[in-house]
């Protein structure tokens, strides 16, 4: 799996958009970008994934640059419940289900 | 659909004992993966089962083993427990269509 780089932490004001960057400069053409988050001591929660097009669901939006070397997860209106560790992962969509988690970004949403 | 369930949620064992953890995947999912999470090492992949066969394995000693049953439920076993095995053990199931994995709440194992 390609390696990802995320900032260790970031703060966000409640109600504002949170933009979480991720660098994956060695990503290959058939690797997807996945985002998960983990609220303290719970299991990771799937957020969104994408290959090269921007994606949006009820939780977030994923913006992938044209060269695919970086991406941004956008939480449109952050709430206190969005405080968590956010993981950006790249992986092949194949029979290999292994997810390689890095240290992630600790996001703290402040009132 | 019900989510991934793991039992027990909390477990306390002593060194040298063995432990078995259970995971029931989301209905219809055939892939089950196990992960260990510790403060020092983060989330690390243990192994993955698909249709009762181990398909992928992480870098853990042979004391860690697993199996999957015909109904896709999975168990992992840790023998001869060590203090360092204290961790949150997470199970994830995959739908085999979108290849997205969904995690359970985890089992918190404490080894004394």
């Amino acid at each position: 799996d390609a390696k990802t780089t995320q900032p260790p932490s970031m703060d966000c004001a409640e109600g504002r958009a949170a933009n979480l960057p991720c660098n994956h400069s060695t990503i290959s053409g058939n690797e997807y970008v996945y985002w998960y988050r983990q609220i303290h001591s719970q299991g990771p929660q799937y957020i969104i994934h994408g290959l090269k097009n921007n994606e949006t669901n009820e939780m977030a939006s994923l913006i992938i640059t044209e060269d695919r070397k970086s991406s941004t997860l956008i939480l449109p209106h952050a709430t206190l419940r969005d405080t968590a560790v956010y993981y950006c992962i790249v992986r092949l969509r194949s029979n290999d289900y292994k997810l390689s988690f890095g240290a992630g970004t600790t996001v703290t949403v402040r009132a | 659909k019900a989510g991934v369930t793991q039992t027990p949620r909390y477990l306390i064992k002593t060194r040298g004992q063995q432990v078995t953890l259970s995971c029931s995947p989301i209905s219809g999912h055939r892939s089950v993966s196990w992960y260990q999470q510790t403060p020092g090492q983060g989330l690390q992949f243990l192994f993955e089962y698909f249709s009762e066969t181990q398909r992928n394995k992480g870098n853990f000693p042979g004391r860690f083993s697993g199996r999957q049953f015909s109904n896709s439920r999975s168990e992992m076993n840790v023998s001869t427990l060590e203090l360092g095995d204290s961790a949150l053990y997470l199970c994830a199931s995959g739908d085999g269509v979108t290849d997205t994995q969904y995690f359970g709440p985890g089992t918190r194992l404490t080894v004394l």
Side-chain angles (χ1 to χ4, degrees):
Chain A
D1 291 343
K3 184 176 179 180
T4 62
T5 304
Q6 300 178 252
S9 64
M10 62 183 294
D11 286 358
C12 177
E14 188 178 23
R16 303 294 295 271
N19 297 305
L20 283 64
C22 179
N23 287 320
H24 30 79
S25 58
T26 60
I27 192 171
S28 62
N30 53 356
E31 287 184 313
Y32 285 70
V33 179
Y34 279 77
W35 283 84
Y36 283 81
R37 72 179 182 184
Q38 187 175 27
I39 296 170
H40 183 62
S41 293
Q42 298 182 20
Q45 178 187 23
Y46 165 77
I47 301 173
I48 199 167
H49 74 277
L51 182 62
K52 53 184 178 181
N53 297 321
N54 298 338
E55 302 287 345
T56 295
N57 63 19
E58 64 279 4
M59 287 183 67
S61 294
L62 174 60
I63 308 298
I64 303 174
T65 58
E66 192 168 343
D67 63 7
R68 302 208 326 120
K69 293 186 177 183
S70 67
S71 60
T72 301
L73 178 74
I74 301 173
L75 307 178
H77 305 288
T79 70
L80 298 179
R81 289 178 294 181
D82 291 323
T83 293
V85 179
Y86 287 75
Y87 297 98
C88 170
I89 301 164
V90 295
R91 62 174 287 263
L92 288 167
R93 282 190 63 183
S94 65
N95 288 336
D96 182 359
Y97 272 60
K98 173 183 176 181
L99 292 173
S100 297
F101 287 83
T105 297
T106 299
V107 174
T108 303
V109 181
R110 302 190 186 280
Chain B
K1 283 186 179 178
V4 178
T5 58
Q6 293 187 246
T7 57
R9 293 293 312 279
Y10 302 91
L11 204 50
I12 299 175
K13 292 287 188 178
T14 57
R15 280 181 299 174
Q17 287 187 310
Q18 74 167 13
V19 67
T20 299
L21 311 181
S22 181
C23 172
S24 292
I26 293 170
S27 177
H29 286 191
R30 295 166 63 191
S31 169
V32 174
S33 300
W34 289 89
Y35 293 79
Q36 181 197 65
Q37 186 173 29
T38 60
Q41 299 296 320
L43 268 155
Q44 292 188 292
F45 172 79
L46 279 157
F47 30 66
E48 185 244 343
Y49 287 85
F50 183 83
S51 293
E52 302 180 64
T53 300
Q54 187 181 87
R55 194 162 59 174
N56 206 347
K57 189 177 189 301
N59 188 27
F60 278 81
R63 299 185 298 107
F64 293 82
S65 63
R67 59 178 177 169
Q68 187 180 31
F69 302 95
S70 58
N71 61 358
S72 293
R73 190 178 69 84
S74 177
E75 290 180 347
M76 69 162 283
N77 183 276
V78 188
S79 62
T80 319
L81 284 166
E82 300 177 359
L83 296 179
D85 296 333
S86 294
L88 180 66
Y89 289 88
L90 294 156
C91 164
S93 76
D95 59 11
V97 176
T98 66
D99 296 341
T100 300
Q101 292 185 61
Y102 299 89
F103 284 81
T107 294
R108 172 74 62 184
L109 171 65
T110 301
V111 182
L112 303 176

